[in-house]
Amino acid sequence: MERPLPILRAGPAREVGCDPTTLRRRVRSSGSDRLVRVGPNAFVEGVRWDGAGPRQRYVTRVYARLGRLGTPAVASHVSAAAVHGLPALSGWNAPVHATVPESMYRGRTPTLVLHTRPVPPAERVEADGVAVTSVPRTVVDIAMSDDLRTAVVVADAALRSGIGTGCLRAAVHHRSRGRRRADQVIDLADGRSGSAAESFARVVFLELGLPEPALQQGFVVDGRRYAVDFWFPDQGVVVEIDGRAKYTQERYLAGRSPTEVFLDEKRRHEGLLTVPGVRAVVRLEWRDLFDPDALVRRFRAAGLPCPVRPIRSARPAA
């Protein structure tokens, strides 16, 4: 689970001589004692905030809010996904989401969204003193309230983490609004998708009317086995999702330089084209998935049938 940054609040801070006025003054400071306000009566040391990533910053805001709302509040939806380490298709610039009893419901604000679907004890877990919806409940909440792309990305990640499909189905209440969408998401979810980009791509392919591809298909080239992201056997087309992290992050570099990784990928690409039955290899970046018109042109040029004409961009609405 993702842990928050240490949060300072006015009450306990008085014990070390840091009253509310001093905390607010430190927010305005530009020195080493600077604080960042992360919620009502909640502050984080500036140096810690500057060194944190987007997910940890968002999780910190979740904890700051949940501590304010009180015990009955349960972090849910995208906020629970962040705590559980699940991905977010639209990033972490989102309001805090919490599920509360109906008696606490006060609508939504730009920074806080409240939900009221009951959370039984079996569907909540404790994380550093804060209640969070379980992974299956989180997936179902997102499936019933968000778009298909976002929901499939989260559901695939849950399956990759070891959650079973049966657990996801058990979290769908038969009387819940949105249960049909939740069932659709669970039907589409596949833990073999290796990343959020691959999950997103599968939904885009579905929207474009492409045939259903095989995932992580293995090919042997010169004694080496390569698993490709998507394989369309009837058309002989391989589709790979390339991310820049492959050329920049150490976990992918594995001691190699970016140039060496690039050359290895080039050799891999050329090797796949020598496999009998492979006619074309299409390489996509994350940004390509947001331009379905260009995708259709590339897929048709490679021999993939795209019967559906894109009627809108995959780019999320502003």
Side-chain angles (χ1 to χ4, degrees):
M1 289 190 177
E2 184 76 40
R3 302 190 66 178
L5 298 169
I7 297 172
L8 300 174
R9 297 188 186 274
R14 288 197 185 98
E15 299 176 4
V16 293
C18 198
D19 56 61
T21 301
T22 302
L23 288 175
R24 289 192 291 270
R25 177 184 58 77
R26 290 177 63 185
V27 170
R28 298 190 296 271
S29 171
S30 59
S32 59
D33 66 340
R34 177 176 64 95
L35 294 179
V36 175
R37 186 176 183 273
V38 294
N41 188 32
F43 307 87
V44 169
E45 293 178 356
V47 65
R48 292 179 181 272
W49 182 262
D50 294 341
R55 181 197 292 272
Q56 190 176 31
R57 289 184 176 186
Y58 178 68
V59 168
T60 301
R61 292 199 289 112
V62 171
Y63 275 75
R65 273 289 187 176
L66 266 291
R68 180 79 170 182
L69 289 176
T71 305
V74 182
S76 61
H77 297 76
V78 66
S79 297
V83 175
H84 286 300
L86 299 173
L89 183 58
S90 301
W92 300 111
N93 186 24
V96 171
H97 285 251
T99 297
V100 297
E102 290 190 9
S103 59
M104 290 180 62
Y105 184 72
R106 296 294 185 273
R108 66 176 293 165
T109 70
T111 59
L112 178 65
V113 179
L114 299 181
H115 309 266
T116 58
R117 190 162 78 93
V119 184
E123 294 182 353
R124 70 172 68 195
V125 296
E126 293 291 323
D128 290 324
V130 168
V132 183
T133 53
S134 65
V135 172
R137 169 62 186 264
T138 300
V139 171
V140 170
D141 278 344
I142 292 174
M144 293 195 300
S145 62
D146 221 318
D147 62 83
L148 185 63
R149 298 164 183 153
T150 297
V152 170
V153 166
V154 174
D156 282 359
L159 294 181
R160 283 198 302 273
S161 73
I163 300 296
T165 302
C167 293
L168 299 184
R169 295 197 185 280
V172 183
H173 194 278
H174 69 281
R175 292 185 178 180
S176 298
R177 289 185 297 177
R179 63 187 181 278
R180 291 183 180 177
R181 169 53 65 84
D183 288 337
Q184 180 189 18
V185 169
I186 296 171
D187 288 340
L188 289 173
D190 195 319
R192 291 175 298 172
S193 283
S195 66
E198 291 177 32
S199 300
F200 180 28
R202 284 182 29 245
V203 181
V204 173
F205 296 169
L206 177 67
E207 294 172 346
L208 295 179
L210 290 179
E212 183 175 355
L215 306 185
Q216 306 303 323
Q217 176 69 39
F219 296 101
V220 177
V221 180
D222 295 331
R224 297 184 63 180
R225 185 181 185 278
Y226 295 125
V228 301
D229 298 333
F230 303 101
W231 167 236
F232 295 87
D234 292 340
Q235 295 76 30
V237 177
V238 167
V239 177
E240 295 268 66
I241 307 296
D242 266 345
R244 296 190 179 186
K246 183 184 296 183
Y247 305 97
T248 59
Q249 294 185 9
E250 183 55 40
R251 58 175 174 161
Y252 297 110
L253 293 174
R256 299 171 296 170
S257 70
T259 300
E260 289 173 325
V261 174
F262 174 79
L263 292 175
D264 286 345
E265 287 297 311
K266 186 174 183 295
R267 295 186 191 101
R268 182 177 186 272
H269 182 110
E270 294 172 347
L272 288 171
L273 289 173
T274 68
V275 175
V278 176
R279 294 180 50 256
V281 177
V282 179
R283 306 185 75 95
L284 303 177
E285 295 182 48
W286 179 275
R287 61 183 179 181
D288 296 325
L289 300 174
F290 292 96
D291 190 349
D293 293 292
L295 275 182
V296 166
R297 292 192 293 270
R298 293 183 64 183
F299 287 156
R300 288 176 177 169
L304 286 173
C306 286
V308 178
R309 179 182 178 183
I311 58 174
R312 63 181 176 86
S313 171
R315 184 175 292 106

